[in-house]
Amino acid sequence: MEPIVFIGMMGAGKTTVGRAYAARHGLAFIDSDQELEARTGVSIPTIFAVEGEEGFRERETRLLAELLGREDLVLATGGGVVLRPENRAQLRRRGIVVYLHVPPEVLWERLRHDRHRPLLQVPQPRQRIFELYAQRDPLYREVADVVVDGGRLKPAAMLARVEEAVRDYLSGRGERAVIAQGEGDA
């Protein structure tokens, strides 16, 4: 089976839901940011500090190409993976891409105390989340095979919604952008 790839904003739950999906379906799981940290031996904030965002994005692109070549894998990507056109092209060619959509207000609630996200180390982090969301949401939707609206859902409910949406997508293979919405959305 081709990889199932979770995309979305930081704080959307890609790692939590992706790991649970992989465990439930007997698939390998990789978080691309954690994999980059393991391979470089330093944290993402350190990569940003030393190489800048461009250096980080270059590493991310090379890793994405490698990981998308694997079978039976669930991959949680970094939130900015869709910024590069070559990454979007790779995502469209290979894998079932699941966009975990969470509104920026909810992301702010989840991330407001997080001090490890390099892109939020700015004077107005709440505003930054809204700006990133406005920039990235259209790009996520461009490459997504499945869009799952999570709102304020707990991880178990989000996982159930993802499983249903992926099942629906696979049964109608080729029809893109299945939207899964329901109770608990913001």
Side-chain angles (χ1 to χ4, degrees):
M1 177 179 188
E2 61 187 333
I4 295 179
V5 183
F6 285 85
I7 63 172
M9 289 286 292
M10 63 182 108
K14 300 178 301 286
T15 298
T16 301
V17 176
R19 183 176 280 122
Y21 188 97
R24 185 172 291 180
H25 296 276
L27 302 168
F29 173 77
I30 296 176
D31 175 293
S32 63
D33 284 350
Q34 292 172 1
E35 183 70 12
L36 263 177
E37 288 180 334
R39 289 181 182 201
T40 62
V42 297
S43 69
I44 298 298
T46 301
I47 296 171
F48 266 75
V50 173
E51 299 180 4
E53 184 173 356
E54 186 57 32
F56 170 78
R57 296 290 171 213
E58 185 57 39
R59 288 178 181 275
E60 181 179 59
T61 295
R62 287 193 307 266
L63 181 61
L64 180 66
E66 175 190 329
L67 295 176
L68 287 177
R70 296 190 185 180
E71 300 285 330
D72 299 325
L73 174 69
V74 175
L75 175 63
T77 63
V81 74
V82 295
L83 295 175
R84 285 186 158 193
E86 60 265 43
N87 291 350
R88 293 194 305 275
Q90 287 185 69
L91 289 166
R92 281 191 299 270
R93 278 194 308 269
R94 181 105 172 105
I96 299 166
V97 181
V98 178
Y99 171 25
L100 295 185
H101 174 262
V102 176
E105 304 82 24
V106 176
L107 295 170
W108 172 244
E109 289 172 16
R110 293 178 183 177
L111 297 171
R112 68 178 177 247
H113 300 297
D114 191 323
R115 300 292 174 248
H116 299 328
R117 311 268 182 171
L119 294 177
L120 296 183
Q121 304 313 305
V122 296
Q124 297 181 348
R126 182 181 186 281
Q127 180 179 336
R128 184 70 176 138
I129 288 172
F130 279 76
E131 292 167 354
L132 291 170
Y133 176 87
Q135 174 193 34
R136 295 175 179 184
D137 181 66
L139 301 175
Y140 296 138
R141 291 178 187 279
E142 175 187 321
V143 299
D145 295 306
V146 176
V147 179
V148 178
D149 284 324
R152 288 178 167 74
L153 292 178
K154 301 275 189 236
M158 183 73 119
L159 173 61
R161 190 173 284 180
V162 166
E163 288 177 317
E164 178 184 357
V166 169
R167 210 172 23 254
D168 289 350
Y169 172 75
L170 290 173
S171 69
R173 190 66 189 181
E175 185 174 323
R176 295 183 56 132
V178 175
I179 309 288
Q181 294 178 297
E183 291 181 32
D185 289 344

